[in-house]
Amino acid sequence: VEVKQLHRTGFHFQPPMHWINDPNGPMYYKGVYHLFYQYNPKGAVWGNIVWAHSVSKDMINWKPLDPAIYPSKPFDINGCWSGSATILPGEKPIILYTGIDPQNRQVQNQAVPANYSDPYLREWVKPDNNPIIVPVGGMNASAFRDPTTAWWSNGHWKLVVGSRRKHRGMAYLYRSRDFVHWVKAQHPLHSSANTGMWECPDFYPVSSSGKSGLETSVLGQNVKHVLKVSLDLTRYEYYTLGTYDPRSDRYVPDNTSADGWSGLRYDYGNFYASKTFFDAGKNRRILWGWANESDTPNNDTSKGWAGIQLIPRTVWLDTSGKQLLQWPIKELETLRGEKVHISNQQIKQGDHFEVKGITAAQADVDVTFRLSSLDTAEQFDPSWVDAQALCGQKGSTVQGGIGPFGLLTLASENLEEYTPVFFRVFKASEGHVVLMCSDARSSSLRRELYRPSFAGFVNVNLADGKLSLRSLIDHSVVESFGAQGKTCITSRVYPTLAVFQDAHLYAFNNGSEIVTIENLNAWSMKSGQIS
Ligand code: FRU
């Protein structure tokens, strides 16, 4: 297979070739970060799934190892699907994953390191007591997968397996005293009507104050819990914040956290099958997500590769207690090269100006905009509940009052192609509504691509008149963080002109009100050691 370099990423993780999907079992062990991921060793489409394995000291530069888990036993002969790692007392990592058995049932298996003193944990052994959890009774054996990291509470290990009962999304709960014998609890940890299969559930505590992460078993007064699920039906992820009772083993979402389709999102774009882990090295919780291609499967095959892992994000609770915040891990900054700085630059209606002097196809941009007045904001219609539909209607070229303003990323010189990442501010009966968009419609001259106008609302107070935006631009991906990580949007785009040295970066404003760039820092990004 000849691997095409066009659109491959420089600092986002991808193997040298072939298909990847979900990040699996991320963990920190003896000073080393481990990333496993769903991988097809034989091609650029989904299939033949094994757990590929890479290790790193910083989650930015990677050393590839041989696949850690691959079909070898009856309980996983038809595939080794997603799962998680748990660090047992005595610093003993253990992996739980879904195996596809000879009847194509989804069962849960364990794997343990062959040699705990190997910091790279190269070799994994599957004990003979596998499978440790099987679907029984009325359970759906083809929708029963992706075990979470286990947590310890009330004298038991507990974990969740994603499933559905008819159309009801389910997080089945299992308990064990010894990590070997697992018993299904009578009640699921949580479930929700008409949400379909819950893939890749994730359940973890967050501290109610500060940025520090919590080990997965931490409970207590100053702790909230997060339940995240990946919805097979929409291919979007939703999370709620809520309260976990370790005695009844029930999770109840807060009344500020909409449960189901209309809930909170880590990312309003191409971000799926994510998983968090507690990084004991730096006391933080790290979130890892996968971005599928938005190219056609035929093109994926001719390129010889498909799928990337997004930049790991630190995740913590916003002071409002109503949402999470996310920010790229600080280690990413070690790849920053040449820097451009702009300050106090006004952008008038219809203007755009170029941020010159960096490699615009592979860059990190961090900008703070200042709005002088909010008076000219357009009126918000309360029926506009769907941010993506609103962005589709009010794109980057549709003139407004306050905005649209923001960045034109991966832009060709004469703007035949560009991926705008931008804000638009509306006046509402109570305060203001801020819309953030990452719009792929104008990203490529190739019309057959999937080019959605991804968008989310930003729950931000505009009292100081400031709005910030950070975008990580990497050839075929634009990963953006609005208002210090309140709203995040990832787009996959495939420009034909705005590639390599011919890609440009602009700031723009199409609102009647002048917008000032208070500060803009942009860096060329070096490539990470990835494969
Ligand atoms: C999510 C998913 C998981 C499954 C894995 C198979 O993308 O479908 O539910 O375990 O991928 O590769």
Coordinates of all heavy atoms in Angstrom, one line a residue, residues 489-525:
I489 N -15.0 22.4 19.4 CA -15.5 21.9 18.1 C -14.4 21.4 17.3 O -13.4 22.2 17.1 CB -16.3 23.0 17.3 CG1 -17.3 23.7 18.2 CG2 -17.0 22.3 16.1 CD1 -18.1 24.8 17.5
T490 N -14.5 20.2 16.8 CA -13.5 19.6 15.9 C -14.0 19.4 14.5 O -15.1 18.7 14.4 CB -12.9 18.3 16.5 OG1 -12.3 18.6 17.8 CG2 -11.9 17.7 15.6
S491 N -13.3 19.8 13.5 CA -13.8 19.6 12.1 C -12.6 18.8 11.4 O -11.5 19.1 11.6 CB -14.0 20.9 11.4 OG -15.1 21.6 11.9
R492 N -13.0 17.9 10.6 CA -12.1 17.2 9.6 C -12.4 17.8 8.3 O -13.5 17.8 7.8 CB -12.3 15.7 9.6 CG -12.0 15.0 10.9 CD -10.5 15.1 11.4 NE -9.5 14.9 10.4 CZ -9.1 13.7 10.0 NH1 -9.6 12.6 10.6 NH2 -8.1 13.5 9.1
V493 N -11.3 18.4 7.6 CA -11.5 19.0 6.3 C -10.4 18.6 5.4 O -9.3 18.3 5.8 CB -11.5 20.6 6.5 CG1 -12.8 21.0 7.3 CG2 -10.3 21.1 7.2
Y494 N -10.6 18.7 4.1 CA -9.7 18.2 3.1 C -9.5 19.3 2.0 O -10.0 19.1 0.8 CB -10.2 16.9 2.5 CG -10.4 15.9 3.6 CD1 -11.7 15.9 4.3 CD2 -9.4 15.1 4.2 CE1 -12.0 15.0 5.3 CE2 -9.7 14.3 5.2 CZ -11.0 14.2 5.8 OH -11.2 13.4 6.9
P495 N -8.8 20.3 2.2 CA -8.6 21.4 1.2 C -7.8 20.8 0.0 O -7.0 19.8 0.2 CB -7.9 22.5 1.9 CG -7.4 22.0 3.2 CD -8.2 20.7 3.5
T496 N -8.0 21.4 -1.1 CA -7.3 21.0 -2.3 C -6.2 22.0 -2.7 O -5.2 21.7 -3.2 CB -8.2 20.8 -3.6 OG1 -8.8 22.1 -3.8 CG2 -9.2 19.8 -3.3
L497 N -6.5 23.3 -2.3 CA -5.6 24.4 -2.6 C -4.8 24.8 -1.4 O -3.6 25.1 -1.4 CB -6.3 25.6 -3.1 CG -7.2 25.4 -4.4 CD1 -8.1 26.7 -4.7 CD2 -6.3 25.1 -5.6
A498 N -5.6 24.9 -0.2 CA -5.0 25.4 1.0 C -4.2 24.2 1.7 O -4.6 23.8 2.8 CB -6.1 25.9 1.9
V499 N -3.1 23.8 1.1 CA -2.4 22.7 1.6 C -0.9 23.1 1.8 O -0.4 23.9 1.0 CB -2.5 21.4 0.7 CG1 -3.9 20.9 0.6 CG2 -1.9 21.7 -0.7
F500 N -0.2 22.5 2.7 CA 1.2 22.8 3.0 C 1.5 24.3 3.0 O 0.8 25.0 3.7 CB 2.1 21.9 2.0 CG 1.8 20.4 2.1 CD1 1.3 19.7 1.1 CD2 2.1 19.8 3.3 CE1 1.1 18.4 1.1 CE2 1.9 18.4 3.4 CZ 1.4 17.7 2.3
Q501 N 2.5 24.7 2.1 CA 2.9 26.1 2.1 C 1.8 27.0 1.6 O 1.9 28.3 1.7 CB 4.2 26.3 1.3 CG 5.4 25.6 1.9 CD 5.5 25.9 3.4 OE1 5.4 27.0 3.9 NE2 5.7 24.8 4.2
D502 N 0.8 26.5 0.9 CA -0.3 27.3 0.3 C -1.5 27.5 1.2 O -2.5 28.1 0.8 CB -0.7 26.7 -1.0 CG 0.4 26.6 -2.0 OD1 1.2 27.6 -2.0 OD2 0.5 25.6 -2.8
A503 N -1.4 27.1 2.4 CA -2.4 27.3 3.4 C -2.2 28.7 4.1 O -1.0 29.0 4.3 CB -2.5 26.2 4.5
H504 N -3.2 29.4 4.3 CA -3.1 30.7 5.0 C -4.0 30.8 6.2 O -5.0 30.0 6.3 CB -3.5 31.8 4.0 CG -2.6 31.9 2.8 ND1 -1.6 32.8 2.7 CD2 -2.6 31.1 1.7 CE1 -1.0 32.6 1.5 NE2 -1.6 31.6 0.9
L505 N -3.8 31.7 7.1 CA -4.6 32.0 8.2 C -5.0 33.4 8.3 O -4.1 34.3 8.1 CB -3.8 31.6 9.5 CG -4.4 31.9 10.8 CD1 -5.7 31.1 11.1 CD2 -3.4 31.8 12.0
Y506 N -6.3 33.7 8.4 CA -6.8 35.1 8.5 C -7.6 35.2 9.7 O -8.2 34.3 10.2 CB -7.6 35.4 7.3 CG -7.0 35.2 5.9 CD1 -7.0 34.0 5.2 CD2 -6.3 36.3 5.4 CE1 -6.4 33.9 4.0 CE2 -5.6 36.2 4.1 CZ -5.7 34.9 3.5 OH -5.1 34.8 2.2
A507 N -7.7 36.5 10.2 CA -8.8 36.9 11.2 C -9.8 37.7 10.4 O -9.4 38.4 9.4 CB -8.2 37.7 12.3
F508 N -11.1 37.6 10.7 CA -12.1 38.3 9.9 C -13.2 38.8 10.8 O -13.4 38.4 12.0 CB -12.7 37.3 8.9 CG -13.7 36.4 9.4 CD1 -15.1 36.7 9.2 CD2 -13.4 35.3 10.1 CE1 -16.1 35.8 9.7 CE2 -14.4 34.4 10.6 CZ -15.7 34.7 10.4
N509 N -14.0 39.7 10.3 CA -15.2 40.2 10.9 C -16.2 40.6 9.9 O -16.0 41.3 8.9 CB -14.8 41.5 11.7 CG -16.1 42.1 12.4 OD1 -17.1 41.4 12.6 ND2 -16.0 43.3 12.8
N510 N -17.4 40.0 10.0 CA -18.5 40.3 9.1 C -19.7 40.9 9.9 O -20.8 40.8 9.4 CB -18.9 39.1 8.3 CG -18.1 38.9 7.0 OD1 -17.7 39.9 6.4 ND2 -17.8 37.7 6.6
G511 N -19.4 41.5 11.0 CA -20.5 42.1 11.8 C -20.3 43.6 11.6 O -19.3 44.1 11.3
S512 N -21.4 44.4 11.9 CA -21.4 45.8 11.7 C -20.5 46.5 12.8 O -19.9 47.5 12.6 CB -22.8 46.4 11.7 OG -23.4 46.0 12.9
E513 N -20.4 45.9 14.0 CA -19.7 46.4 15.1 C -18.2 46.0 14.9 O -17.9 44.9 14.6 CB -20.2 45.8 16.4 CG -19.7 46.5 17.6 CD -20.3 47.9 17.9 OE1 -21.5 48.0 17.6 OE2 -19.6 48.8 18.3
I514 N -17.3 47.0 15.1 CA -15.9 46.8 15.1 C -15.5 45.8 16.2 O -16.0 45.8 17.3 CB -15.1 48.1 15.2 CG1 -15.2 48.9 14.0 CG2 -13.6 47.8 15.5 CD1 -14.5 50.3 14.1
V515 N -14.6 44.9 15.8 CA -14.1 43.9 16.8 C -12.6 44.1 16.9 O -11.9 44.4 15.8 CB -14.4 42.5 16.3 CG1 -13.6 41.4 17.2 CG2 -15.9 42.2 16.4
T516 N -12.0 44.1 18.1 CA -10.6 44.3 18.2 C -9.9 43.0 18.7 O -10.4 42.3 19.6 CB -10.3 45.4 19.3 OG1 -11.0 46.6 19.0 CG2 -8.8 45.7 19.4
I517 N -8.8 42.7 18.0 CA -8.0 41.6 18.5 C -7.1 42.2 19.6 O -6.2 43.0 19.4 CB -7.1 41.1 17.4 CG1 -7.9 40.4 16.3 CG2 -6.0 40.2 17.9 CD1 -7.1 39.7 15.3
E518 N -7.5 41.8 20.8 CA -6.7 42.4 21.9 C -5.3 41.7 21.9 O -4.3 42.4 22.1 CB -7.4 42.0 23.2 CG -6.7 42.6 24.4 CD -7.6 42.6 25.6 OE1 -8.3 43.7 25.8 OE2 -7.7 41.7 26.4
N519 N -5.3 40.4 21.7 CA -4.0 39.7 21.7 C -4.2 38.5 20.8 O -5.2 37.8 20.9 CB -3.7 39.1 23.1 CG -2.7 40.0 23.8 OD1 -1.7 40.3 23.3 ND2 -3.2 40.5 25.0
L520 N -3.2 38.3 19.9 CA -3.2 37.0 19.1 C -1.8 36.5 19.2 O -0.9 37.2 18.8 CB -3.7 37.3 17.7 CG -3.7 36.1 16.8 CD1 -4.8 36.3 15.7 CD2 -2.4 35.8 16.1
N521 N -1.7 35.2 19.6 CA -0.4 34.5 19.5 C -0.6 33.3 18.6 O -1.6 32.6 18.7 CB 0.1 34.0 20.9 CG 0.5 35.2 21.8 OD1 1.2 36.1 21.4 ND2 -0.1 35.2 23.0
A522 N 0.3 33.2 17.6 CA 0.2 32.1 16.7 C 1.6 31.5 16.6 O 2.5 32.2 16.5 CB -0.4 32.5 15.4
W523 N 1.6 30.2 16.6 CA 2.9 29.5 16.5 C 2.8 28.5 15.3 O 1.8 27.8 15.1 CB 3.1 28.6 17.7 CG 3.4 29.4 19.0 CD1 4.6 29.8 19.5 CD2 2.4 29.9 19.9 NE1 4.4 30.5 20.7 CE2 3.1 30.5 21.0 CE3 1.0 29.8 20.0 CZ2 2.4 31.1 22.0 CZ3 0.3 30.4 21.0 CH2 1.0 31.0 22.0
S524 N 3.9 28.3 14.6 CA 4.1 27.2 13.7 C 4.3 26.0 14.7 O 5.0 26.1 15.7 CB 5.4 27.3 12.9 OG 5.3 28.4 12.0
M525 N 3.7 24.9 14.3 CA 3.9 23.7 15.2 C 4.8 22.7 14.5 O 4.7 22.4 13.3 CB 2.5 23.0 15.4 CG 1.6 23.8 16.3 SD 2.2 24.0 18.0 CE 1.6 22.5 18.7

